[in-house]
Amino acid sequence: MAGRGYMSFSVEAVGIGKGDNLPPSILQPTPLYPPLEHQPVPLVTGEEAEYMLALKQEFRGAMKTLPFYVRPAVPKRDVERYSDKYQNSEPSDNTIEWSPDWKRLPKELRIRTRTHLNDNTSLSVQTTLVPKPSKKTCLDKEEIIRKLEPLEKKEEEVTSDEEGEKKPEEVVQDEEDEYDEEEFEEETDYIMSYFDNGEEFGGDSDDNMDEAIY
Amino acid sequence: MTAQEVRLCGLLLQEHFGDVVEKIGTHLLRSGAQNLRTIANETNTPLDLVKKSLCVLVQHGACEFGSGRRGPGSPVEYRADSERVLRILRYPRYIYTAKTLYGDTGELIVEEVLQRGHMTLSNTVKTVADRLTHNMEEGRNMEYSEVSSTFSKLVETHFLQRCPPVAEMGAAPPTTTPATHGAPASVAPPTAESNPDCYKLPPVKLIGCGKRRHSGDDTEDQRGGKKAKMDSESCGDEGIYWQVNFERFHQHFRDQAIISAVSSKLDQTSSEIVRTMLRMSEVTTTPSAAYTQPLSANEIFRSLPPNYSISRPILDQYLTLLVDDPMEFVGKSGDSGGGMYVVNLHRALANLARATLESVVQERFGSRSARIFRLLLRKRHLEQKQVEDFAMIPAKEAKDMLYTLLSENLVQLQEIPKTPDHAPSRTFYLYTVNQLPTARLLLQRCYKTVANLIERRLHETKENKRLLEKSQRIEAILASLQASEAEPEQLTEVEDMITAPERQQLEALRRHINKLDCAENQVDETVFLLESYIFSTRTK
């Protein structure tokens, strides 16, 4: 289609008269952010909009704490460390943290549930996961300790105050997790911050460098 | 499944369920039905993670499973449902509607069921009672019976429904149907509506009240509460799961849209009349019906709300006005009983969609282009010359606007040949607008818009991650200090750890994120209108 020479149809039909200057032909893709001729209408504001906004953000936050938010297992570090036993930050295996109704799911999807829950259902389906021996002893211990629960509760009230700082950041619905941590507290003589490996240290004091750090 | 839909679904899954579920979900959306091994191989994820993600997706109704293509012997295949994932965008609206209709209890029930996908009656009642008790003042508790009654109200009005029974597969030979619920064997997953017990409440009596959860100290109540959760108490409704009935909510939104359209076009009284008509036809009309059941003017008169006391002749006048209105919301279908009137649902939706399209063109291209667009919608096919004449716009500008609209694909060019050889000099070129394809185009644009909004929000959050983490840490420290009653100097000292410019940055960030979230909610309203319109044309 060369220029405006001979064309197979009369251009008047489409509305281009003789001598009109057409816009220049474009030889590149349109710009990523073309200039806006008309400003968009401002957003709807009001009580309803604000309430729905709050609902939306709360919902999102709540979903992040539920067990449906699947986090991939953290790969094991090179050497097993003593603190690993008392500081389980990320799930290190792929058990499922909630128990769905297995009757509604195909058999092949069945995996081990993380058995803090006093599940009486027997896990008859063998999975490819070989349970770690340390975890097994942990689970046995948990059951024994659960029986001694009433007595320990009184002792744990004292130690739980030290955990005040960590409480707001903890997962709310996982009372079992909280319980485990307190149970771990009982087993060691050190408070949980003993096992911090120094990665977070120094993060807070970036702002005032006048004080020397010892 | 368009690319924009898949992208938006991926972002929604990522925000609510994490990256792993997002990867599996988008893979399923792109490649259709697949079995477990193929998914694991093609996405390079360990099998356990795939199983976990599929459990999550099925729990929330975003994925269905059925026996494979080669018959009951082949491995189970999983299929993701993009429509269901896109509903996540509308969750705040569902929760807010439940609040306006059934108060805080209704709001929390719907929120819990949406968060967990599906739940049993007993579980829902206990969780909601606990949450409500937590928010009440000391000493007061929420009774289970109150929560149960709100739950049953929600079920009666069909906002909640039972989850469809799961068809057995694998074990049963193809000829016999599974024993339990009589659902068809491996033909299609049974829908909720096909179950006759869909809205029947299980005969359980829940007695008790919500337990208050104290943060930090373990009291007798909490121990009791924990014990209750740990025993597997069976309340008699095992296996009966309830999910939110989105169709019913959509019906409600559609009715609201029609009523507000009538109220803004005509007046408050007409909208009250239409509201009464819609309320009377709630139970008698199927969700995809084109018209409500005919109602006589006498019935409408009797059912008007008592504070709207208008006399009978005035009601008749209003009804005549509504019927004569070019919007055609209400139609007259007979003369018995003082006149039989129907609400034209599909036509109302089409008009609302048309108004949306016109408003989009107006805001994007100006009011004169909108005039041309409206003209073409009404007159169907027009030549270049006719457009200029009817729209009363000078030729050059009209041409310019038409070409802009043409390049955006909002207007199409139709050729009508005069001679069989389609010679261009002897062909009519007519401009035209087709409402349905244009609505589809706009819907895809809306999906793209929402996806862009979400991505921008994630980007903003990522950019300021360090600052956000710092502020969260400081808030945690402040909270613990206040709980242990520190002096004001300590509190101010901690507050000063965030410098003033950082505070400003945080404030600006919060404003941006709120704006982006609000925009998402608003675009979703347009998405709902267009989706309803397109769906209504599909079932015709």
Side-chain angles (χ1 to χ4, degrees), chain A residues 9 51 56-57 101 108 207, chain B residues 78 107 241 424 470 520:
Chain A
F9 62 99
Y51 195 81
K56 186 181 174 115
Q57 291 178 334
D101 186 3
E108 60 183 7
D207 294 333
Chain B
Y78 301 90
E107 174 193 4
Y241 294 97
K470 180 175 177 185
E520 279 174 44

Side-chain angles (χ1 to χ4, degrees), chain B residues 5-52:
Chain B
E5 281 179 31
V6 174
R7 179 173 162 230
L8 179 56
C9 288
L11 284 168
L12 287 170
L13 286 174
Q14 184 188 355
E15 282 218 302
H16 290 95
F17 300 113
D19 293 319
V20 181
V21 178
E22 186 250 327
K23 199 154 97 166
I24 310 284
T26 27
H27 177 80
L28 272 177
L29 284 168
R30 280 209 186 96
S31 35
Q34 281 192 336
N35 60 14
L36 185 60
R37 284 276 160 195
T38 329
I39 301 175
N41 288 338
E42 289 187 11
T43 54
N44 284 332
T45 4
L47 201 59
D48 282 319
L49 278 180
V50 177
K51 288 185 192 174
K52 226 170 159 182

Side-chain angles (χ1 to χ4, degrees), chain B residues 258-311:
Chain B
I258 296 179
I259 293 168
S260 68
V262 172
S263 133
S264 57
K265 181 115 203 281
L266 298 174
D267 75 340
Q268 180 73 3
T269 319
S270 333
S271 77
E272 280 305 316
I273 296 176
V274 176
R275 192 199 300 265
T276 316
M277 288 175 76
L278 284 168
R279 207 187 24 216
M280 287 159 69
S281 354
E282 250 170 23
V283 277
T284 53
T285 323
T286 56
S288 53
Y291 317 95
T292 59
Q293 294 291 90
L295 299 163
S296 71
N298 297 330
E299 284 173 3
I300 300 174
F301 185 63
R302 274 197 297 270
S303 323
L304 276 178
N307 47 347
Y308 262 95
S309 53
I310 53 178
S311 61

Side-chain angles (χ1 to χ4, degrees), chain B residues 100-114:
Chain B
T100 50
L101 292 174
Y102 295 106
D104 284 337
T105 322
E107 174 193 4
L108 283 182
I109 293 179
V110 171
E111 189 176 346
E112 280 297 317
V113 178
L114 283 173

